[in-house]
Amino acid sequence: MPAALGFTTIILFLLLTMTKRVSVLIALVLIPVLAALAGGFGSDLGKMILDGLGKVAPTGIMIAFAVLYFSLMIDAGLFDPLIRGILKLAKADPMRIAVGTAVLTMCVALDGDGASTFLITISALLPVYRRLGMSPLMLSGVVCLGAGVMNLIPWGGPTARAMASLKLDSSQVFTPVLPAMAAGIAWVLVAAYLIGARERRRLGKLSMPEGPAPSDRLAREERLAREASLEGVSGEAPAERVAGEGPGTLLAPARRNRALTAFNLVLTLALLVALVLQVMPLPVLFVVGFAIALLVNHPTWERQQELLERHAKSVVLVTTMIFAAGVFTGILTGTKMITEMAGAFVQIIPDSLGGHLPVLVALTGMPLSLVFTPDAYYFGVLPVLAETASGFGGDPAEIARAAILGQMTTGFPLSPLTASTFILVGMSGVQLGEHQRFIFGWAFATTLVMTVVALLTGAFAL
């Protein structure tokens, strides 16, 4: 019964959210609650929910302060040179911007952390997409593809879990799939080119407007008015206007502006290095980093409060989804629905397919990322699949290689069971169901390409 209840919960969630019958937030909370009550788990419901919330709390805290940090840096103009560089190379061409998005994402994703990849790339590129009127679904989709294929690196989630679960090393799991990963990277660039070409046809010929966009002017005019009202309190010199430009275009005194930009750049680079080296937990890094940035960039209480109020909506939208996902996974884990689903899935594999298990694992990995959490799949399902393969004379290492090609590699930026997915869709401003419909086919094609290359290079046998 728990397995049937779990599959029903997942199917209902996907149907209701993808058809927009209910919001993702409502579905994440109420559907598993109703399932738990129907399964007779009402007495343990509170504990399961609190356990789930406790597990996602560090992620929620990290996201809240990371969103605030990068929002502050965007306001301060830290990413303006990067944006101008992308625009200069892309020449307002959506196709070139899409390919640039893929390249930037794959470079940032080398740290192996999906959350930070989404935070950095979306923060840097969303203003470009908005400026040109490009679809935010295209941004979330291309970033999804780039981050997904780079998740194969040994310090990324899937490969690290597979090695730990089956007690294998990177030479047994990662090295044989390097050609497949290279093919996946090439495919992502091709997919970005095709997606961008389609967007170019939709928008027609674009030209980059001179000066700030209307929305930018409005935001800067509002900021000017606020700063002018606070001038008497802060004692700071008023900002200087740029001669010959619109009333909303401002420049702080040049010396102070350069010093502040240099400080923000050094602080951000130090934060990223600390993140990669894991000097401290991610939530701690972003809490401390934001506090320092806020104090230096907005030294008065009034300006600090104004920044928090301006970006409160973005923080609330993303963090509420994270904690709602904690309710969802907490109930599915606490009721043993996920464990029972794993066992049921393995039992339905017919003996005739036993010899083709690696291919089956590779092809089903991505769809199953919508059903299983990473830990549930790699520590629950994968050992059973590996043992099953051994019974048919197969190599457990081949099962590990097959698993990382799909499950939580091209699937993790689509899964409602992965907290970082809600960073991607939340910061892009798109609905989860729309994002899934837009990019699912492209992501599954990435798995197919890597699987074919893995077969051709002998990473696993047919």
Side-chain angles (χ1 to χ4, degrees):
M1 181 178 176
L5 201 57
F7 284 119
T8 302
T9 301
I10 298 292
I11 292 171
L12 275 177
F13 173 83
L14 294 174
L15 286 176
L16 292 176
T17 55
M18 294 184 74
T19 58
K20 297 185 179 180
R21 299 288 182 181
V22 297
S23 69
V24 174
L25 178 66
I26 297 298
L28 283 171
V29 175
L30 293 187
I31 292 177
V33 167
L34 292 175
L37 293 174
F41 299 100
S43 60
D44 298 321
L45 191 59
K47 182 180 182 302
M48 290 186 292
I49 291 176
L50 284 177
D51 288 343
L53 290 173
K55 289 181 179 179
V56 300
T59 300
I61 295 168
M62 182 270 293
I63 291 169
F65 283 92
V67 168
L68 288 172
Y69 181 88
F70 286 110
S71 297
L72 187 157
M73 292 301 167
I74 290 173
D75 286 353
L78 178 65
F79 296 107
D80 286 354
L82 173 63
I83 294 169
R84 285 195 297 267
I86 293 174
L87 291 175
K88 183 177 180 180
L89 292 174
K91 299 179 181 178
D93 184 350
M95 183 271 291
R96 295 187 183 188
I97 291 174
V99 175
T101 299
V103 172
L104 179 62
T105 301
M106 289 188 285
C107 291
V108 175
L110 284 170
D111 69 352
D113 183 75
S116 61
T117 298
F118 298 151
L119 287 165
I120 296 168
T121 54
I122 300 299
S123 296
L125 295 174
L126 186 58
V128 176
Y129 279 70
R130 285 177 174 169
R131 190 85 178 269
L132 295 175
M134 295 169 61
S135 170
L137 277 173
M138 177 179 162
L139 173 60
S140 66
V142 174
V143 170
C144 165
L145 295 179
V149 73
M150 293 304 294
N151 218 24
L152 275 169
I153 54 180
W155 52 93
T159 306
R161 286 185 177 92
M163 292 188 297
S165 175
L166 301 184
K167 297 179 176 58
L168 302 171
D169 58 40
S170 61
S171 65
Q172 296 172 289
V173 178
F174 174 69
T175 303
V177 299
L178 271 173
M181 182 179 178
I185 291 172
W187 165 252
V188 167
L189 295 175
V190 171
Y193 174 89
L194 295 174
I195 293 171
R198 186 172 63 184
E199 184 74 354
R200 181 169 59 184
R201 289 193 298 270
R202 183 182 74 86
L203 293 174
K205 186 177 180 180
L206 297 176
S207 60
M208 200 62 195
E210 296 295 331
S215 59
D216 296 333
R217 292 194 186 101
L218 178 59
R220 291 182 180 181
E221 286 172 2
E222 291 175 349
R223 186 159 65 249
L224 172 60
R226 285 191 294 265
E227 291 177 353
S229 67
L230 295 174
E231 182 185 333
V233 178
S234 64
E236 295 180 2
E240 298 176 356
R241 296 184 184 276
V242 179
E245 296 193 8
T249 305
L250 303 174
L251 277 181
R255 183 177 301 173
R256 179 179 181 276
N257 185 57
R258 286 198 298 268
L260 192 59
T261 300
F263 173 83
N264 288 335
L265 178 61
V266 171
L267 178 62
T268 302
L269 291 176
L271 184 63
L272 296 178
V273 170
L275 182 152
V276 173
L277 298 179
Q278 299 182 358
V279 175
M280 288 189 288
L282 280 181
V284 177
L285 288 174
F286 277 110
V287 168
V288 175
F290 173 68
I292 295 172
L294 183 61
L295 177 63
V296 174
N297 285 267
H298 302 282
T300 64
W301 179 88
E302 289 82 3
R303 293 185 62 184
Q304 293 169 5
Q305 189 69 14
E306 184 272 334
L307 180 132
L308 292 172
E309 290 174 356
R310 185 164 68 250
H311 297 293
K313 180 180 177 181
S314 299
V315 174
V316 170
L317 286 175
V318 177
T319 54
T320 51
M321 288 295 183
I322 297 298
F323 287 110
V327 175
F328 193 89
T329 55
I331 292 176
L332 263 65
T333 301
T335 56
K336 307 297 183 184
M337 291 184 197
I338 287 183
T339 303
E340 294 296 325
M341 283 191 291
F345 172 73
V346 173
Q347 290 176 7
I348 64 173
I349 300 175
D351 292 345
S352 59
L353 293 177
H356 308 291
L357 202 54
V359 176
L360 181 64
V361 169
L363 296 181
T364 59
M366 182 195 160
L368 288 178
S369 70
L370 303 177
V371 179
F372 296 107
T373 64
D375 288 338
Y377 185 83
Y378 284 102
F379 296 112
V381 177
L382 187 60
V384 181
L385 291 173
E387 186 65 27
T388 304
S390 297
F392 288 102
D395 183 1
E398 291 189 358
I399 300 298
R401 295 168 202 153
I404 64 175
L405 293 183
Q407 217 286 335
M408 302 311 294
T409 299
T410 53
F412 92 93
L414 288 161
S415 174
L417 302 179
T418 308
S420 59
T421 299
F422 294 101
I423 303 176
L424 175 62
V425 298
M427 293 190 68
S428 301
V430 301
Q431 296 293 323
L432 176 61
E434 293 175 338
H435 169 70
Q436 290 172 327
R437 288 194 300 271
F438 178 80
I439 207 64
F440 184 91
W442 296 101
F444 189 63
T446 308
T447 294
L448 291 177
V449 168
M450 292 194 295
T451 299
V452 170
V453 174
L455 285 169
L456 293 175
T457 55
F460 49 79
L462 181 64

